[in-house]
Amino acid sequence: MKKILLISQLILSLSIYGQGFELVTLGSDGGVMDGNVSGYLLKGEGDENFIALDAGTILPGIKVGLEKGSFKNTIIPKETEWNDIGYIFREKVKGYLISHAHLDHISGLVISSTEDTKKNIYGLNSTVETMKNNIFNWQIWPNFANEGEGFKLNQYTYKVLDLNKEYVLENTKLKVKTFPLSHSNYESSMFLIENEGDYLAYFGDVGPDKIERTDKLEKTYRALGPLLKNKKIKGIMIEVSFDNSKKDEALFGHLTPMWINKELDILAKYSGIENLEGLNIIITHIKPSLKKNDDMRERIKKELNESNIYKVNYIFPTQGDLLLLK
Ligand SMILES: [Zn+2]
Ligand SMILES: [Zn+2]
């Protein structure tokens, strides 16, 4: 009897603390509408708390996520003094992983900081230095952080991530390893996030190695290859800013569907072609067009799906969508 109880408890705990991820898109685009630029909330399946992957848009994304029912697994206590947006933002987002400090990846964090709680900002040294010197400096914005110019409000603690070292993201089940990327000669990053043996790869803005004259993307594929072989990667989030009409010299550190296909050729080399089939590739950072009757998102979708020789599973989330990656 005791044994049966133990087994059933074990099954229950496995189902509660399963692997995989929950991802809520806060901002799906790479410009030009403020209120919907690069930001995502990620948590390990069975966890209560989120980490933000970039922070271009925070509160408007949580609002749309609530409207779409994407926080159905988040318990909001009745006695809280905060509204639902405020509670999720203040109590359930436990930190920010910033891929690089371009405005479309940090503006939501800055604007909402006056209502935020004590959290860590994680990033490469170059990212942290840029935020320290150019954002939280009492000129662009008060210094809400623990280092930098003038009086320090100490709400945010900078956590510099060293390359190839694994860090626990505090108050979550997640761990992260960081790889550098080249984004028009500016440093960006790829975060390899682990939840109990399952992984998600989040690429910040990045240009093709060939154009950036580097091997940084290839190095990330080398790291992802063995994990793909073992079916441990539950999703790859990567940018496609422009459609194929964009000339290489006008890319400025971004990717197109044509370049995604070339990058997949190299990823296939390290992982085996067969291991890419069905792989979740989540497309981020699409730059909307303001021209009449011109839908950049639809065009990129079409170009990717028409040339999908590896049969990967392209996903194009929009603001507020919930994705379960298992
Ligand atoms: Zn960007
Ligand atoms: Zn950028």
Side-chain angles (χ1 to χ4, degrees):
M1 186 64 189
K2 221 177 184 180
K3 209 173 183 182
I4 294 168
L5 202 69
L6 273 177
I7 290 168
S8 65
Q9 276 171 347
L10 185 70
I11 291 168
L12 192 69
S13 65
L14 279 177
S15 60
I16 292 171
Y17 301 105
Q19 295 146 357
F21 300 90
E22 269 187 51
L23 180 79
V24 181
T25 296
L26 300 184
S28 61
D29 292 356
V32 290
M33 297 269 187
D34 57 295
N36 190 17
V37 288
S38 296
Y40 299 86
L41 292 183
L42 182 75
K43 70 171 174 169
E45 188 62 33
D47 197 357
E48 287 181 7
N49 297 326
F50 293 95
I51 198 89
L53 303 174
D54 281 328
T57 291
I58 302 286
L59 295 179
I62 295 177
K63 183 170 180 278
V64 179
L66 280 162
E67 286 161 9
K68 288 187 172 177
S70 295
F71 293 102
K72 57 177 190 272
N73 297 332
T74 300
I75 298 158
I76 300 174
K78 280 207 169 63
E79 58 275 18
T80 176
E81 63 177 299
W82 305 101
N83 65 26
D84 292 357
I85 300 172
Y87 183 80
I88 290 170
F89 169 56
R90 294 173 57 92
E91 305 299 332
K92 293 289 140 190
V93 181
K94 296 298 187 185
Y96 301 95
L97 263 175
I98 305 294
S99 68
H100 64 301
H102 278 165
L103 267 184
D104 57 317
H105 298 255
I106 61 165
S107 54
L109 156 62
V110 177
I111 288 295
S112 57
S113 57
T114 50
E115 291 294 315
D116 208 354
T117 50
K118 213 169 163 50
K119 291 170 192 176
N120 292 333
I121 296 176
Y122 303 90
L124 287 178
N125 188 52
S126 57
T127 304
V128 167
E129 282 301 309
T130 304
M131 294 187 74
K132 202 188 288 181
N133 297 327
N134 303 304
I135 303 291
F136 292 125
N137 61 4
W138 289 106
Q139 292 180 57
I140 295 285
W141 206 250
N143 188 353
F144 276 89
N146 64 323
E147 290 171 32
E149 275 301 305
F151 182 72
K152 292 147 198 68
L153 292 163
N154 263 310
Q155 178 168 280
Y156 298 125
T157 303
Y158 293 123
K159 296 276 181 185
V160 172
L161 302 170
D162 289 337
L163 296 176
N164 297 313
K165 256 197 198 167
E166 192 173 60
Y167 293 84
V168 173
L169 296 167
E170 286 175 33
N171 300 308
T172 76
K173 285 167 67 190
L174 305 173
K175 293 178 198 153
V176 68
K177 227 187 219 184
T178 313
F179 298 75
L181 298 175
S182 182
H183 173 36
S184 202
N185 292 319
Y186 179 66
E187 188 170 58
S188 174
S189 2
M190 186 275 265
F191 297 123
L192 184 58
I193 299 156
E194 190 203 335
N195 177 33
E196 297 182 357
D198 281 349
Y199 292 83
L200 177 127
Y202 177 81
F203 287 81
D205 295 2
V206 62
D209 279 352
K210 211 171 169 189
I211 294 179
E212 302 275 327
R213 296 171 195 278
T214 172
D215 61 352
K216 287 186 174 141
L217 263 178
E218 181 164 0
K219 280 187 176 147
T220 68
Y221 304 148
R222 221 175 281 172
L224 295 179
L227 295 172
L228 281 164
K229 267 186 195 152
N230 293 320
K231 305 286 180 202
K232 291 292 179 192
I233 305 265
K234 303 301 165 188
I236 291 180
M237 301 175 70
I238 194 159
E239 69 132 283
V240 178
S241 294
F242 307 111
D243 66 15
N244 285 337
S245 67
K246 198 69 155 180
K247 298 255 182 333
D248 285 354
E249 55 274 21
L251 280 179
F252 294 107
H254 293 294
L255 296 170
T256 62
M258 183 268 285
W259 277 108
I260 284 282
N261 286 329
K262 290 192 183 182
E263 298 302 329
L264 284 179
D265 290 342
I266 311 168
L267 186 59
K269 198 174 86 184
Y270 289 105
S271 61
I273 293 167
E274 67 284 2
N275 294 316
L276 294 184
E277 188 169 340
L279 172 68
N280 293 322
I281 299 192
I282 298 131
I283 301 300
T284 66
H285 209 267
I286 293 172
K287 285 185 185 281
S289 159
L290 292 180
K291 286 185 188 150
K292 267 185 201 162
N293 305 319
D294 189 25
D295 191 336
M296 181 66 94
R297 180 169 286 269
E298 281 310 310
R299 224 168 32 246
I300 286 174
K301 248 186 212 180
K302 195 165 175 268
E303 288 177 355
L304 280 172
N305 284 322
E306 281 177 358
S307 60
N308 186 2
I309 60 166
Y310 295 109
K311 300 193 178 103
V312 301
N313 179 33
Y314 286 120
I315 305 172
F316 302 85
T318 59
Q319 187 170 47
D321 284 355
L322 169 68
L323 284 176
L324 300 175
L325 301 164
K326 289 183 184 182

